[in-house]
Amino acid sequence: MAPPQTVVPANTVWRICMVTTAVQRVFIENISELVPGEVRLRGWIYRLRVLSETAFLILRDCTGEAQCVMATDALKDHRLKVEDVIEVTGQARREPRAKAGFEVEISAIRVLNRAGHSLPFHSAGQVDSVALDTLIQYRPLSLRTEAVGDIFRVQAGLLACFRDALNRRRFTEIVTSKIVGGGTEGGTNLFEIKYFERAAYLAQSPQFYKEHGVAGFERVYETGHVYRAEPHASSRHLTEYYSLDVEFGFIDGPEDVIQLERELLTDMFANLNSQYGEVIGKYRTDLLPSMLKVPCWEFDACLEMLRSECGRTDLVDDLDPEAERQLCERARKETGTPAVFVLGFPLAARPFYTAPRGSGGAASSFDLLFQGIEITTGGQRLHRREDLEAALRDRSIDPANFESHLAMFDLGMPPHGGFAIGLERLTCQVMNLPNVRQAVLYPRDRYKLTP
RNA sequence: GGGGACGUAGUUCAGUUUGGUUAGAACGCCGGCCUGUCACGUCGGAGGUCGCGGGUUCGAACCCCGUCGUCCCCGCCA
């Protein structure tokens, strides 16, 4: 478990808060500095070994685990079980027989709360034989396990690294509404909600607000949930997912957007490797790669490649999951990293704000395929009002319906583009998880609304 | 939305092919024993409306219909 980055020395917090307690509670990671000496710990019972004379109690808090010992007779009075929440007071002392080199001789135990009997699983146990649905059903307990906890610690790290890499590049984080009056790309996959006397929708993307943000700040990003009312049922789709959205101005073309994502992911991964390398090492054989050399292949060339090298004569105007895996494998053979940008999808299949690429019906939009799955869509957007109006009319949409959005393009809108990364999918690829639900605390899909 | 698989103890599963007395295992749980455990060991015990509803049958965990839930693949997408 990677220790969290603490700005304030851990114990300071408790010195402020715990004025009524004579002996201050300390975090387990700090015990070694206090040996020998009296300590007070609070946490969960992680393991319990009761022998005839001596009982061993492994206590766990958010900083680590500590072995505590007590005479079996004295311990039995407390009737403790694994997962009980307790406070332990005792002498921390050097002890070569303990794994950590020290242990705590318990002088007092206070039970703060008891856990039930026959829990679905134990936090110290192997969790790979527990069904995913069971892990989701009992999230607090599964988070206490190392394997599940690792996923969400790394996810938190991804978010922090994403913010850090963009902040250093002069991006400003924005926060926009998820309740909207209309969709950004058509209405079929919007969740409708009651909004007093009229209908509203859950945002399927912060796309418009990001673009408005560019007109204000030049470089913006946003992280937040987006909602897709699509009835898909697969291991990589959610109706609610967390989108890492980036948009910036004064680009020359989609290649600038792709280059930013290369650099962004490279920074994020390097940062993650150094902060969470030990954790990540448990889930993948290699550390996270540099993404600077990830190639960019034209969509048409990809189709040709798949036809000639993989016999895929069935593909016409889109890639299927098998094609995505095949392209990543080809990229891996060529560059050593199973990742590739695919640029120039058919314009007709893309939202109206997508800029064209040449005059052959291709779009200046791209996907990033990473380890066999699409984790990003991005591209250059149209930035002139008249082009947007024409694009809407091409799709038989009355530009008047988008007037409040289009009006923002009269305020001085630079050429711009951006992309969005699905946080859960990225987490899956980083941690080698087969099901996107493993990377969501409380997944929402076509049928799942609880917990 | 299409296709497939599954649902049995707290958990993970066997048992369903070929309906038949008391539904099993492992781990967990409860109790005993064990001078330092760290996946401890060991002896004993408890625990199941076989997802739910209906049907067939002398008899259903097992066969049929419905329903709810879970997992996988595809469509679609991040």
Side-chain angles (χ1 to χ4, degrees), chain A residues 128-332:
Chain A
D128 36 324
S129 65
V130 179
L132 174 56
D133 200 50
T134 307
L135 295 176
I136 292 168
Q137 191 72 40
Y138 300 95
R139 267 307 184 204
L141 189 55
S142 65
L143 285 179
R144 236 179 282 152
T145 70
E146 185 176 87
V148 176
D150 281 344
I151 294 169
F152 293 99
R153 279 185 286 270
V154 166
Q155 185 169 82
L158 277 168
L159 254 176
C161 294
F162 175 80
R163 289 196 163 99
D164 181 61
L166 288 165
N167 289 341
R168 285 191 283 106
R169 289 177 168 78
R170 303 284 184 157
F171 280 76
T172 300
E173 180 167 9
I174 60 172
V175 178
T176 67
S177 180
K178 303 301 158 221
I179 304 174
V180 295
T184 54
E185 5 198 306
T188 56
N189 59 356
L190 286 166
F191 283 111
E192 186 175 329
I193 59 173
K194 281 184 193 161
Y195 198 75
F196 304 108
E197 67 282 355
R198 56 190 163 141
Y201 304 91
L202 295 177
Q204 64 192 164
S205 155
Q207 182 60 34
F208 288 0
Y209 293 136
K210 274 200 304 181
E211 294 187 58
H212 302 172
V214 167
F217 277 136
E218 180 179 337
R219 304 188 143 209
V220 296
Y221 70 93
E222 170 160 24
T223 79
H225 278 121
V226 294
Y227 299 87
R228 303 283 167 94
E230 290 156 6
H232 36 43
S234 83
S235 57
R236 61 187 183 287
H237 287 97
L238 299 162
T239 49
E240 175 188 61
Y241 71 90
Y242 206 78
S243 182
L244 307 181
D245 264 276
V246 176
E247 199 80 16
F248 64 115
F250 300 107
I251 63 171
D252 288 318
E255 294 84 358
D256 291 346
V257 182
I258 288 171
Q259 185 57 23
L260 177 77
E261 185 166 12
R262 284 194 186 105
E263 293 174 17
L264 170 67
L265 285 172
T266 298
D267 283 9
M268 288 172 66
F269 286 175
N271 210 339
L272 221 62
N273 282 338
S274 69
Q275 286 188 60
Y276 295 88
E278 198 179 320
V279 174
I280 291 168
K282 288 187 278 184
Y283 299 87
R284 48 190 303 139
T285 52
D286 54 335
L287 282 178
L288 293 166
S290 164
M291 302 291 276
L292 292 178
K293 298 284 169 54
V294 172
C296 175
W297 295 341
E298 295 290 337
F299 176 76
D300 288 343
C302 288
L303 286 189
E304 183 48 42
M305 206 179 281
L306 289 162
R307 241 189 309 268
S308 61
E309 296 176 22
C310 305
R312 295 299 305 271
T313 52
D314 51 323
L315 298 168
V316 182
D317 55 3
D318 205 3
L319 304 174
D320 64 7
E322 177 65 15
E324 292 175 355
R325 289 189 285 269
Q326 287 166 332
L327 287 173
C328 283
E329 175 56 18
R330 193 181 187 284
R332 190 192 62 76

Side-chain angles (χ1 to χ4, degrees), chain A residues 428-448:
Chain A
C428 283
Q429 299 317 84
V430 165
M431 300 293 275
N432 264 329
L433 307 175
N435 190 323
V436 73
R437 291 169 186 79
Q438 289 173 269
V440 199
L441 285 177
Y442 301 104
R444 293 290 178 264
D445 63 29
R446 176 71 180 83
Y447 300 102
K448 201 166 185 60

Side-chain angles (χ1 to χ4, degrees), chain A residues 326-362:
Chain A
Q326 287 166 332
L327 287 173
C328 283
E329 175 56 18
R330 193 181 187 284
R332 190 192 62 76
K333 281 181 186 155
E334 206 168 292
T335 68
T337 301
V340 58
F341 290 94
V342 178
L343 173 61
F345 283 87
L347 187 59
R350 296 280 155 161
F352 74 90
Y353 52 78
T354 308
R357 180 165 175 77
S359 53

